């Protein structure tokens, strides 16, 4: 902290904060209804697209495979992830208040980190699934049986929950005695730590360790998996076989690049080097834009899902006709 920041915090040292104020987009009040309409439309699109993916992967017999089981879980996490942040942001745009209690802020932070971490872990599990499918196709059904798939998903939840709960408790154990204005549209770690009066060295260290464990380690595993996948694909003699294998992995690879690209830019770059408002802008990417793109990428680039969607559409159409006639 600079000398000025230290002086300001010392002046407020006797003030105990009981609630925060999320500033969100209060600096552009003239655009609040336009932003409300855009974010509401994006939120509804995310809910509908991911719900459709969950529906068809559970009802269509051809999609009852490990790859689509993990995709269904990923869609569920996406729905939960955006629901933690966007409805609150929409409410703040309407009321222009932005006040949030410490307990609500802690709960939001906990779920944001937990669900975000789950997405990274599920992307790693999905990469492993593609690795087994392409590199060991004869043993795929045995290795990736339903029990193993359930254990992998359960393992992701079990590993992330205690770490995130501990981190949230650690952050909110700090004294917040200065300004209560959070320059963000949801409770995130960097803006909250900037308001803490105590020593945040341990908290920052814990964040970097958690980032390495839940972001960088999975990223390395995904890179290794895709390295082996690409080597095996290139060994295929059939051009059609290579094209089909690349097509199977391309959607997942695009999503991985989007997720990790934004995460690395957001959390790896020192905050002092980021322009004012850059953190908020990047947050819009990984909390709204990427969850919006994910189901579109998975549906448009996947023939099996497109076929299942047409079958579902046809089924709904004929059922509607039967009810009318």
């Amino acid at each position: 902290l600079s000398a000025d920041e230290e002086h300001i915090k010392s002046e407020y040292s006797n003030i105990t904060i009981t609630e925060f104020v999320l500033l969100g987009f209060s600096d552009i009040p003239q655009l609040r209804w336009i932003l409300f309409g855009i974010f509401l439309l994006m939120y509804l699109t995310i809910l509908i697209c991911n719900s459709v993916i969950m529906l068809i992967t559970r009802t269509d017999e051809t999609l009852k495979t490990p790859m689509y089981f993990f995709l269904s879980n990923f869609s569920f996490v996406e729905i939960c992830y955006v629901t933690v942040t966007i409805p609150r942001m929409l409410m703040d745009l309407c009321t222009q208040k932005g006040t949030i209690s410490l307990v609500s802020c802690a709960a939001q932070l906990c779920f944001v980190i937990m669900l975000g971490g789950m997405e990274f872990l599920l992307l790693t599990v999905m990469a492993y699934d593609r690795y087994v499918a392409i590199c060991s196709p004869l043993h795929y059904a045995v290795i990736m049986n339903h029990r193993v798939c359930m254990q992998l998903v359960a393992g992701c939840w079990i590993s992330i929950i205690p770490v995130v709960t501990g981190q949230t408790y650690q952050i909110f154990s700090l004294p917040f005695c200065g300004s209560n204005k959070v320059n963000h549209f949801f409770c995130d770690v960097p803006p909250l730590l900037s308001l803490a009066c105590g020593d945040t060295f341990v908290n920052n260290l814990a964040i970097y360790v958690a980032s390495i464990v839940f972001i960088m380690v999975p990223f390395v595993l995904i890179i290794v998996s895709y390295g082996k996948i690409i080597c095996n694909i290139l060994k295929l003699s059939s051009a059609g076989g290579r094209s089909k294998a690349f097509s199977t992995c391309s959607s997942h690879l695009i999503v991985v690049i989007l997720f990790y690209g934004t995460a690395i830019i957001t959390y790896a770059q020192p905050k002092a080097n980021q322009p004012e408002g850059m953190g908020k802008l990047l947050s819009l990417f990984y909390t709204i834009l990427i969850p919006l793109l994910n189901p579109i990428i998975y549906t448009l680039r996947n023939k099996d899902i497109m076929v299942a969607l047409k079958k579902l559409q046809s089924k709904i159409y004929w059922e509607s006709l039967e009810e009318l006639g």
Side-chain angles (χ1 to χ4, degrees):
L1 292 175
S2 66
D4 289 339
E5 288 174 324
E6 289 284 2
H7 176 67
I8 291 168
K9 289 198 173 185
S10 65
E11 285 184 347
Y12 288 97
S13 59
N14 294 324
I15 302 172
T16 303
I17 291 174
T18 57
E19 65 179 16
F20 291 110
V21 178
L22 297 171
L23 296 179
F25 303 97
S26 58
D27 54 333
I28 44 174
Q30 68 277 12
L31 297 178
R32 71 184 179 112
W33 290 116
I34 296 173
L35 291 173
F36 179 87
I38 293 170
F39 293 145
L40 178 60
L41 181 62
M42 294 173 99
Y43 179 55
L44 293 175
T45 305
I46 293 167
L47 291 186
I48 293 167
C49 291
N50 281 291
S51 297
V52 168
I53 288 175
M54 290 173 64
L55 177 64
I56 60 175
T57 52
R58 291 175 186 272
T59 57
D60 196 297
E61 290 298 323
T62 60
L63 299 183
K64 289 187 176 179
T65 63
M67 180 173 76
Y68 296 111
F69 171 77
F70 294 130
L71 179 57
S72 175
N73 278 273
F74 189 77
S75 293
F76 170 73
V77 173
E78 287 272 77
I79 290 172
C80 296
Y81 183 64
V82 296
T83 302
V84 172
T85 56
I86 300 180
R88 171 82 210 192
M89 181 176 64
L90 293 173
M91 186 183 74
D92 290 342
L93 281 168
C94 285
T95 62
Q96 288 190 300
K97 290 182 179 179
T99 54
I100 183 170
S101 68
L102 258 68
V103 174
S104 298
C105 189
Q108 188 183 54
L109 177 70
C110 184
F111 282 113
V112 165
I113 302 174
M114 184 190 304
L115 295 166
M118 265 301 295
E119 289 182 335
F120 287 114
L121 293 177
L122 281 175
L123 285 173
T124 310
V125 170
M126 291 164 81
Y128 174 69
D129 171 70
R130 292 299 83 208
Y131 162 73
V132 176
I134 291 171
C135 299
S136 302
L138 298 177
H139 302 98
Y140 178 68
V142 177
I143 297 172
M144 298 301 294
N145 60 64
H146 186 66
R147 183 181 176 184
V148 170
C149 293
M150 293 288 288
Q151 288 173 341
L152 286 169
V153 173
C156 291
W157 284 110
I158 291 167
S159 62
I160 196 79
I161 289 173
V163 175
V164 171
T165 306
Q167 272 206 335
T168 306
Y169 175 79
Q170 190 182 39
I171 289 168
F172 279 85
S173 296
L174 291 167
F176 294 97
C177 52
S179 171
N180 70 336
K181 298 186 188 306
V182 181
N183 188 19
H184 218 306
F185 56 88
F186 70 94
C187 292
D188 200 7
V189 176
L192 285 174
L193 287 181
S194 69
L195 299 178
C197 297
D199 184 11
T200 59
F201 173 77
V202 175
N203 301 87
N204 284 313
L205 182 63
I207 291 164
Y208 278 112
V209 171
S211 298
I212 290 169
V213 173
F214 291 104
I215 297 178
M216 295 314 297
V217 170
F219 183 60
V220 170
L221 292 174
I222 290 172
I223 293 296
V224 171
S225 297
Y226 271 100
K228 293 187 176 182
I229 286 169
I230 291 168
C231 287
N232 273 269
I233 290 174
L234 293 175
K235 290 177 184 176
L236 295 174
S237 56
S238 166
R242 287 197 298 269
S243 176
K244 186 179 179 181
F246 273 121
S247 177
T248 307
C249 301
S250 60
S251 300
H252 180 254
L253 196 55
I254 291 168
V255 172
V256 167
I257 291 167
L258 287 171
F259 259 91
Y260 278 93
T262 351
I264 290 167
I265 292 170
T266 305
Y267 292 104
Q269 185 181 7
K271 300 300 161 192
N273 296 340
Q274 285 189 3
E276 183 68 26
M278 181 59 72
K280 201 186 297 184
L281 180 63
L282 288 169
S283 297
L284 283 174
F285 274 89
Y286 67 77
T287 56
I288 301 177
L289 187 60
I290 293 177
L292 177 68
L293 292 175
N294 289 344
I296 296 171
I297 292 167
Y298 275 116
T299 51
L300 293 180
R301 297 185 61 85
N302 192 302
K303 291 180 181 178
D304 293 336
I305 288 183
M306 292 302 292
V307 170
L309 279 172
K310 289 176 182 177
K311 284 164 63 178
L312 178 64
Q313 187 180 11
S314 177
K315 183 181 177 182
I316 293 170
Y317 174 75
W318 287 111
E319 285 179 355
S320 301
L321 285 181
E322 286 177 5
E323 287 178 4
L324 291 172

